[in-house]
Each structure stands twice: as structure tokens, then as C-alpha cells.
């Protein structure tokens, strides 16, 4: 931990990186063992291919992202004060995946923890990191979204297994001497009344005093009410985006890109229409990566950094949604 410095209250995003499993699975590959086709999947989701783990884990992919971020920034692992990993598929319930990553990379000065807000997790994580850095206590932090969703997919259910994929992406954030946060406005929500509309893997109660019939075997995978989720997203995400623009007194014309959670290309298209914003402003990566949960947003950011699409002063909206139900948006300036 760095020494407390109350004069450090600004933040900025330094760089982004990603890590993906080696195996690439196409729609045609899926059609070999499930009743589907490339046309069926692409028409409904916008996905052509995705990366699937053959042993890679949340921790191993995240460790790779961590090392890339440090290298890109020209610093060492000991310059990092904290690590936040947003995931729903950790190796263990405890300890956190973040602890394994810190051990793997040899970061001895950092603390770490996991954050579970489903596919919205990265947005939540960026908000938390910003507050930690603005406190003046910490100087640099890493936020990584990582999931191995193939672990909780029913590979006989074509309504879900064709969508989900594996991957990790992250950003390095640091405190600045100014007073300006990289987050110009934020809007975070949870609606627990709708929690059952999207859920994944129920843990059983196992003890000598519990004798109720356990139905865990009926819910070992992701279960989703697709229509309900579509209606929820296409209603709430436009509201959330409008909210942060209003809070920051920024017009949509001033926003260079919208980085939306890559759940479904059709959802993104509907959100763009409702916002009366050109789809060209929306970063689309789902075609090659599939739905990788909270990592989909930093995966897109990494692609943008690699292609030189992000410049100092650019305003970008990052917006996500997922199980919980959770949703939220941040307007960031680079």
C-alpha cells in the first residue's frame, strides 16, 4: 500500500489488455453436436465464433492480463496497490481468484478481492476502483473482468450454450494530482425482485440437520428467461445512458463510443435505436468473442486501445447488465 496522500483525488485509465483461451469454437463446430447452424446462431445473436477453455481458468487468464497491463504501463507488479476481479465463475468460493492472481504474478504490495455483479460486474468494479483511488490512500489499481462461462453452460441447451464464452479483460487505473475523476457520471442499479429471471448454479445445503428435498441437480447451469431479459435491457439501459449524460451535462454528440456489454448484437442494435444513436458508435466484439460476461466490456476496451481508437480527452460510455438483476453505466473521459 502506498502512503496516504490526501492531495491525490483525480483518476485516469492508463491502458487495457485481454487474454483468451487458445481454443476457438465456431458455430459450425457447435452444429456438429447440437441442433443448430451458423445462420441460426448469427441471426439471433450476432455471434460467429467464441473462445472456450481447455484448462484456462479465471485466475490464469487474469494473471496474463495483469502482467500485460504492468508491462504496457512500464511499471512493476510492486507498483500495484489493489486488484479487483469481477467474476461469477471463480475456481473456489474462497479464497478469491484475485488472491491466486496476486500470488502468480508475485505482487506483494497489493490487496485483492473478487466482485460478483454478474455481467455488470466490470462497471461496478470501475466505480469501486475510482473511489479507492480518489481517497488518496492508493495510487494504482487493476480491474479485471474474467469468466469461464463454459463451466456453467448446459451444452445440450442451444438457447444458452451458443451464446456464452470464456475470456478476460482488464484496465489499469491510477490516481492523478488533479481533482478530476475519469468517471464524469455513473448510474448503478440492482433489482432483486427479478433475481430468478437470470441465474446460474445453485449451491446445495448439506448438513445433518437439513432434510428438505434438494433440487440443486435441477439447476446446475445458467437458466435465463430470454424475453424477460431482452425487455429489461432494452428498457433500462437507454434510461441509464440518458441519466449519466444528464448528470454530466454532456450531449450524445460529445461521446465517441459506447462500450456495451456484449450479450447479444440484436440487443445492442435495439439500444442504439432507442437512444437515436448511430450503431457505428457502439463497439461490437461479440461476433468473434461471444458473451463473456463482465469481461466483454474490457475486451472491447482492449481492442480499442490496440487499434488506437482511444485518445486523450475522448468521452466513452461503458454500460452493462446482467443477473441480479443488475445494470449500470459510467461516462468516462480518457
Amino acid at each position: 500500500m502506498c502512503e496516504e496522500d490526501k492531495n491525490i483525488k483525480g483518476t485516469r485509465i492508463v491502458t487495457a489488455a485481454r487474454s483468451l483461451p487458445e481454443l476457438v469454437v465456431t458455430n459450425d463446430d457447435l452444429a456438429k453436436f447440437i441442433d443448430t447452424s451458423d445462420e441460426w446462431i448469427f441471426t439471433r445473436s450476432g455471434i460467429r465464433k467464441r473462445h472456450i477453455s481447455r484448462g484456462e481458468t479465471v485466475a490464469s487468464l487474469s494473471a496474463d492480463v495483469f502482467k500485460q497491463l504492468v508491462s504496457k504501463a512500464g511499471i512493476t507488479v510492486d507498483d500495484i496497490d489493489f486488484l479487483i476481479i469481477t467474476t461469477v465463475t471463480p475456481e473456489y468460493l474462497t479464497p478469491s481468484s484475485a488472491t491466486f492472481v496476486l500470488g502468480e504474478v508475485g505482487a506483494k504490495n497489493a490487496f485483492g478481492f473478487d466482485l460478483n455483479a454478474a455481467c455488470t460486474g466490470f462497471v461496478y468494479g470501475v466505480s469501486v476502483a475510482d473511489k479507492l483511488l480518489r481517497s488518496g490512500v492508493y495510487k494504482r489499481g487493476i480491474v479485471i473482468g474474467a469468466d469461464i462461462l463454459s463451466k456453467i453452460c448446459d451444452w445440450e441447451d442451444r438457447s444458452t450454450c451458443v451464446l456464452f464464452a470464456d475470456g478476460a479483460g482488464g484496465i489499469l487505473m491510477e490516481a492523478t494530482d488533479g481533482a478530476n475523476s475519469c468517471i464524469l457520471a455513473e448510474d448503478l442499479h440492482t433489482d432483486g425482485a427479478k433475481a430468478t429471471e437470470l441465474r446460474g448454479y445453485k449451491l446445495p445445503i448439506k448438513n445433518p440437520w437439513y432434510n428438505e428435498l434438494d433440487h440443486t441437480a435441477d439447476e446446475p447451469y445458467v437458466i435465463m428467461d430470454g424475453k424477460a431479459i431482452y425487455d429489461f435491457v432494452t428498457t433500462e439501459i437507454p434510461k441509464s445512458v440518458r441519466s449519466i449524460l444528464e448528470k454530466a451535462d454532456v450531449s450524445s454528440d460529445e461521446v465517441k463510443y459506447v462500450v456495451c456489454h456484449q450479450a447479444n448484437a440484436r440487443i445492442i442494435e435495439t439500444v442504439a435505436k432507442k437512444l437515436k444513436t448511430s450503431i457505428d458508435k457502439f463497439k461490437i466484439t461479440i461476433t468473434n468473442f461471444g458473451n463473456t460476461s463482465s469481461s466483454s466490456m474490457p475486451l472491447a476496451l482492449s481492442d480499442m486501445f490496440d487499434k488506437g481508437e482511444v485518445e486523450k480527452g475522448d468521452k466513452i460510455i461503458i454500460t452493462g447488465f446482467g443477473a441480479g438483476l443488475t445494470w449500470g453505466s459510467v461516462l468516462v473521459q480518457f
Side-chain angles (χ1 to χ4, degrees), residues 13-304:
I13 296 173
V14 179
T15 190
R18 68 178 182 266
S19 183
L20 297 159
E22 182 179 352
L23 176 65
V24 176
V25 176
T26 67
N27 292 343
D28 289 332
D29 292 330
L30 292 176
K32 293 176 182 177
F33 65 89
I34 193 170
D35 182 18
T36 190
S37 68
D38 177 66
E39 180 183 7
W40 191 92
I41 296 171
F42 183 74
T43 299
R44 290 160 177 77
S45 68
I47 300 170
R48 291 288 190 191
K49 57 186 178 180
R50 74 285 291 149
H51 293 254
I52 298 295
S53 171
R54 283 194 295 189
E56 296 94 344
T57 66
V58 165
S60 66
L61 293 178
S62 296
D64 185 33
V65 172
F66 190 111
K67 293 173 185 176
Q68 289 183 55
L69 290 170
V70 168
S71 176
K72 286 184 175 183
I75 58 177
T76 71
V77 295
D78 290 332
D79 293 317
I80 302 300
D81 296 314
F82 63 84
L83 167 65
I84 301 172
I85 294 183
T86 66
T87 186
V88 297
T89 54
E91 286 67 57
Y92 300 94
L93 289 180
T94 189
S96 68
S97 293
T99 61
F100 289 105
V101 173
L102 294 176
E104 171 67 23
V105 303
K108 299 178 180 178
N109 296 331
F111 68 90
F113 60 92
D114 291 358
L115 187 159
N116 182 346
C119 301
T120 318
F122 183 73
V123 178
Y124 279 33
V126 171
S127 175
V128 172
D130 177 71
K131 307 308 175 293
L132 288 171
L133 294 170
R134 295 199 74 189
S135 72
V137 178
Y138 309 104
K139 189 172 183 181
R140 294 186 184 90
I142 286 175
V143 183
I144 296 174
D147 268 304
I148 305 295
L149 293 179
S150 60
K151 293 197 301 185
I152 57 173
C153 279
D154 180 353
W155 289 96
E156 296 181 354
D157 177 11
R158 72 170 184 172
S159 68
T160 56
C161 76
V162 301
L163 301 174
F164 299 118
D166 306 332
I171 60 173
L172 171 63
M173 298 176 66
E174 70 178 13
T176 65
D177 292 331
N180 296 322
S181 166
C182 64
I183 298 180
L184 304 182
E186 64 179 53
D187 179 69
L188 307 178
H189 299 275
T190 301
D191 184 356
K194 297 180 179 179
T196 59
E197 292 180 357
L198 177 55
R199 59 196 189 274
Y201 188 73
K202 183 176 68 176
L203 287 173
I205 297 174
K206 294 182 178 180
N207 63 58
W209 297 273
Y210 184 73
N211 297 314
E212 296 295 325
L213 182 64
D214 189 347
H215 294 286
T216 299
D218 298 331
E219 295 189 12
Y221 307 117
V222 171
I223 297 175
M224 177 173 63
D225 183 337
K227 184 180 185 305
I229 298 303
Y230 177 88
D231 292 342
F232 146 68
V233 173
T234 55
T235 298
E236 297 301 337
I237 292 302
K239 289 181 183 178
S240 182
V241 170
R242 292 189 193 104
S243 174
I244 58 173
L245 290 174
E246 182 178 348
K247 289 176 182 178
D249 192 22
V250 170
S251 72
S252 59
D253 291 339
E254 297 176 72
V255 176
K256 187 173 184 180
Y257 288 109
V258 179
V259 178
C260 189
H261 165 48
Q262 308 287 305
N264 186 301
R266 308 305 164 229
I267 288 178
I268 298 174
E269 290 169 1
T270 301
V271 169
K273 288 179 181 178
K274 288 197 171 185
L275 289 171
K276 297 180 180 178
T277 302
S278 170
I279 192 64
D280 294 335
K281 273 195 174 184
F282 284 73
K283 187 69 177 178
I284 307 292
T285 59
I286 192 171
T287 306
N288 296 322
F289 299 146
N291 180 345
T292 56
S293 189
S294 67
S295 74
S296 73
M297 291 164 280
L299 278 171
L301 287 172
S302 174
D303 188 61
M304 293 163 68

Side-chain angles (χ1 to χ4, degrees), residues 322-333:
L325 295 173
T326 60
W327 70 100
S329 306
V330 289
L331 173 62
V332 298
Q333 183 164 9

